[in-house]
Structure formats: structure tokens, C-alpha cells
Amino acid sequence: MAWTLTEDLDEFAAAASDFLLSRPVTNTVQLTALATLRARGAAAYSGAPLFGWWSPAGRVDSVFMVTPAKPALPAGPDCAA
């Protein structure tokens, strides 16, 4: 299975929220960015974000989000904390 990519905040939140919430301390930055986007809309970071998730066994194993002018925010077993 390949990465699933989207610019749709609701689609990303539906796919990635359980994964991110399973380790809230490790994923604090991603969860905060997601909450900000939900509260202020997709343009909260001055442009459309890009989201992705990897689900090789039918469950999300890694995610990322990229917002304009910010580096990618990865979260997963092989990502540095």
C-alpha cells in the first residue's frame, strides 16, 4: 500500500486521529496543528496544507502534515521525537 495524500482536513482527521491520539505526548505538535486547522480553517497557516498517512495492514501506522512555510511534521514508529 502506498501513502494516501489529501488536502482535505476532515478526511485526514478521520484517518489519522486515533493514531495520533494513541501517543498524545509524542504527537503533541501534530495534534495541536490539527486542532488549530479545525478551529481556524485550512488557511490557518497561510495556505492549503497537505496531509498523508500510511496504512499497510489496514490501520494507520504513520502520518505527516505539511503546512505552508513550515517543515513536514511526521509521526510514526521511525520518526524522531
Side-chain angles (χ1 to χ4, degrees):
M1 166 127 208
W3 282 90
T4 301
L5 305 177
T6 188
E7 292 181 352
D8 185 300
L9 175 61
D10 292 330
E11 181 181 15
F12 176 72
S17 289
D18 287 345
F19 170 79
L20 291 170
L21 290 168
S22 71
R23 296 178 62 197
V25 174
T26 301
N27 299 322
T28 296
V29 173
Q30 293 85 352
L31 288 166
T32 300
L34 184 58
T36 298
L37 288 165
R38 285 185 137 168
R40 295 177 45 203
Y45 294 104
S46 302
L50 176 65
F51 308 104
W53 63 93
W54 177 258
S55 53
R59 65 169 175 48
V60 174
D61 191 43
S62 298
V63 303
F64 77 86
M65 60 177 65
V66 179
T67 56
K70 302 289 182 188
L73 295 172
D78 296 325
C79 299

